[in-house]
Amino acid sequence: MKRVDWHLMRPPRADAREVASLEHRIDELVQRATEKVLDEEELAVLLDLEQLHEQRTISACDAVGAPRVEDDPDWESRVIDEYADTDTDLDLEDYLEVRRAEPDCERCPFASPYSLFPLDPCEFSAGALLRVVQDADVRRRATEPMAPADMLALADALERLVAARAWEEIVELDAEDYLKKAIFFLRLWARHGFRLRPVATDEEAPILTPDGPMGGSPDDGEPSPVLH
C-alpha cells in the first residue's frame, strides 16, 4: 500500500503574505538540504527562518488547547519511568522541568490513531484512502495540497461514501473507522485554519489499525521534509 502522509501546515498569527514567503524560502533551503548542497551559512539561515515561522504561526497544540504533561496528576511517576529509558544528558530534575510543560500527546484527545512515524501524533497517514476509496476524483483530491475549504469539501465527499457504504475492504483494516477518522481529522483542522500538504513516498506503508501499524517498517523511506 503506497504511503501518503497528510502534514499539517500551521495557520499564521500575523500577515499571511509574510508567512507564505517564509514557507517558500524554507522549502527552497530544505530542498537544498535534501540534495546535500546546503552550506553552513544557508543552514544557519534555515534554522533562523524556521524559528521565525514558528513565532508567526499557530501550533496544532495551541490551536486545540492540547493537554500538557503536568496536567496529569501522575505525571511525575510517568516521566521518571520514561527517564530511565531515555538517552539524555540532563539530570532527572532538569528533565522533569523540561517535560512538565511539553504537550502530552499520549493523553491528547486530538491525537490520530492513524499516524505513522515520523508524522506528529496529530497528523494522518492517508495512503489507505487510495485503496478503500473507489471514486477516482476523491482519491486524486486526497493527494493534492488542501486549503481549509478543500479539506471540508473532501470530508463531505468521504462522508457521502460512508453513508452509501461505498468502500473497498482491506484485510486487517476497519475501513469504516478509518474513513470516519479521516473525516474528523479534516474537519477539525480545517476549522482551526490549518492547511494540508500530502507527501508521498516510494515505500510501502504497513496496514494501520487504531492500536498501531501491523507489518512493514514505519520508518523506511525518505518523505520530503515539510513545514509543521
Side-chain angles (χ1 to χ4, degrees):
M1 182 167 59
K2 185 177 179 61
R3 179 164 179 175
V4 178
D5 293 334
W6 280 348
H7 292 258
L8 291 170
M9 302 293 289
R10 296 161 57 136
R13 293 184 186 274
D15 184 85
R17 183 177 302 173
E18 290 184 10
V19 171
S21 62
L22 268 177
E23 290 176 349
H24 180 70
R25 180 57 177 150
I26 290 171
D27 281 345
E28 290 180 338
L29 292 172
V30 166
Q31 181 60 37
R32 288 181 58 78
T34 302
E35 297 168 355
K36 303 186 187 310
V37 294
L38 193 74
D39 60 36
E40 291 187 8
E41 183 176 343
E42 289 175 316
L43 175 59
V45 171
L46 174 58
L47 294 175
D48 287 343
L49 291 177
E50 288 180 331
Q51 184 176 18
L52 185 59
H53 182 267
E54 287 190 5
Q55 293 170 353
R56 293 184 178 180
T57 56
I58 302 169
S59 72
C61 296
D62 288 342
V64 298
R68 300 289 166 174
V69 170
E70 63 183 353
D71 295 334
D72 179 5
D74 298 322
W75 77 270
E76 287 192 57
S77 297
R78 283 177 53 205
V79 175
I80 289 171
D81 290 343
E82 172 188 306
Y83 178 78
D85 298 323
T86 300
D87 183 16
T88 177
D89 293 330
L90 295 175
D91 60 34
L92 178 57
E93 184 176 345
D94 289 338
Y95 187 80
L96 286 167
E97 192 61 29
V98 169
R99 285 287 285 127
R100 69 182 300 161
E102 292 182 340
D104 193 346
C105 297
E106 291 181 29
R107 296 173 58 249
C108 182
F110 304 108
S112 170
Y114 297 107
S115 176
L116 281 175
F117 180 86
L119 287 175
D120 288 339
C122 52
E123 295 178 316
F124 196 92
S125 188
L129 288 177
L130 305 185
R131 289 278 302 280
V132 302
V133 172
Q134 300 172 355
D135 187 305
D137 181 63
V138 174
R139 291 200 305 268
R140 174 188 57 78
R141 289 155 61 186
T143 64
E144 295 179 345
M146 287 176 257
D150 302 315
M151 295 160 66
L152 293 173
L154 180 57
D156 290 344
L158 293 176
E159 189 167 61
R160 288 192 291 271
L161 295 179
V162 170
R165 302 192 66 81
W167 62 74
E168 191 76 27
E169 294 290 351
I170 297 179
V171 175
E172 297 174 342
L173 174 69
D174 185 338
E176 183 175 7
D177 180 73
Y178 181 81
L179 289 168
K180 288 181 176 179
K181 293 296 193 303
I183 292 165
F184 175 82
F185 174 89
L186 290 163
R187 288 181 174 156
L188 170 69
W189 297 110
R191 187 167 69 247
H192 288 286
F194 284 75
R195 294 170 289 129
L196 281 188
R197 177 182 290 181
V199 176
T201 67
D202 292 332
E203 69 172 289
E204 290 292 310
I207 295 294
L208 285 169
T209 75
D211 297 321
M214 300 189 66
S217 177
D219 55 353
D220 291 342
E222 297 184 2
S224 303
V226 299
L227 294 164
H228 288 282

